[in-house]
């Protein structure tokens, strides 16, 4: 099996003190950095994704419903849109930016600086299995894992390296992923 690690949206915008901070986000960033140091050899590729909003249209709202509309976050080129400082030394192979001009929850909705989709990068490398970690478990991690599964990859989510928006949304996401065939550990 050729495996990739997808590190989803581990950005200050989604950590404590960020525009859409998730409780435990900073710890998730530190834990992922430690995990990669210990397990780099297990992965053919390590790929990060980032919310990188330029003009995402109705995704941003002054009166967000926190379902389909949100306060501004992940604003392209801002410090909070960059990768979390704990990941500064991460030995990554590709960076995917998503949501420039629309809402984008899954890493499969973005592309690299060279214009390659996550799907193309994974297929070109012969990847057949992905581990998905990051922020938030209940949103972008879930959507990335579900999309990976739909596209024929064996998808696994490592919950200790992820954090949900809330415990309830995290439980619902885990149930949805398991029902779709994603392995959750």
């Amino acid at each position: 099996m050729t495996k990739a690690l997808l590190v989803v949206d581990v950005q200050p915008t989604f950590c404590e003190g960020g525009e859409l901070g998730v409780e435990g986000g900073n710890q998730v960033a530190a834990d992922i950095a430690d995990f990669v140091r210990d397990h780099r050899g297990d992965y053919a590729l390590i790929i990060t994704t980032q919310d990188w909003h330029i003009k995402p249209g109705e995704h941003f709202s002054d009166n967000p419903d926190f379902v389909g509309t949100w306060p501004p976050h992940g604003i392209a080129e801002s410090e909070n849109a960059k990768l979390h400082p704990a990941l500064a030394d991460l030995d990554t192979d590709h960076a995917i930016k998503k949501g420039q001009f629309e809402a984008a929850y899954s890493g499969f909705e973005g592309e690299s600086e060279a214009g390659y989709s996550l799907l193309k990068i994974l297929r070109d490398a012969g990847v057949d299995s992905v581990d998905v970690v990051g922020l938030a478990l209940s949103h972008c991690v879930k959507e990335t894992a579900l999309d990976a599964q739909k596209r024929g990859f064996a998808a696994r989510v490592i919950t200790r390296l992820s954090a949900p928006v809330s415990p309830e949304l995290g439980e619902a996401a885990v149930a949805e992923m398991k029902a779709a065939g994603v392995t959750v550990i």
Side-chain angles (χ1 to χ4, degrees):
M1 259 198 170
T2 303
K3 188 166 35 170
L5 178 67
L6 307 181
V7 179
V8 176
D9 297 3
V10 182
Q11 305 164 255
T13 200
F14 297 122
C15 295
E16 295 89 346
E19 296 88 350
L20 287 175
V22 172
E23 186 175 332
N26 288 318
Q27 188 62 53
V28 163
D31 291 347
I32 289 171
D34 290 343
F35 178 82
V36 170
R37 275 190 285 281
D38 294 343
H39 297 277
R40 180 60 174 103
D42 298 346
Y43 297 99
L45 295 176
I46 296 181
I47 301 170
T48 59
T49 72
Q50 292 163 264
D51 252 11
W52 199 256
H53 296 309
I54 297 169
K55 289 187 177 185
E58 295 178 7
H59 185 58
F60 284 177
S61 173
D62 291 335
N63 299 298
D65 63 14
F66 296 94
V67 176
T69 60
W70 305 88
H73 62 278
I75 297 168
E77 304 300 337
S78 72
E79 285 301 309
N80 278 355
K82 293 179 181 174
L83 286 178
H84 192 284
L87 304 182
D89 297 328
L90 209 62
D91 180 21
T92 60
D93 299 290
H94 297 278
I96 300 291
K97 292 185 173 144
K98 60 187 182 63
Q100 287 92 330
F101 300 101
E102 60 190 2
Y105 295 91
S106 168
F108 287 89
E109 296 175 88
E111 61 182 32
S112 69
E113 259 188 52
Y116 298 117
S117 69
L118 178 55
L119 181 62
K120 178 173 176 39
I121 291 167
L122 294 172
R123 291 259 162 84
D124 285 355
V127 169
D128 50 19
S129 169
V130 296
D131 285 350
V132 186
V133 300
L135 301 172
L137 173 67
S138 49
H139 291 75
C140 296
V141 169
K142 174 189 81 170
E143 294 302 327
T144 300
L146 290 172
D147 274 357
Q149 188 75 20
K150 286 178 202 165
R151 286 165 169 78
F153 299 96
R156 185 172 78 157
V157 171
I158 305 171
T159 59
R160 72 178 177 83
L161 300 176
S162 305
V165 168
S166 70
E168 300 79 19
L169 289 175
E171 290 169 18
V174 165
E176 184 178 347
M177 288 186 289
K178 285 180 176 178
V182 173
T183 301
V184 179
I185 60 168

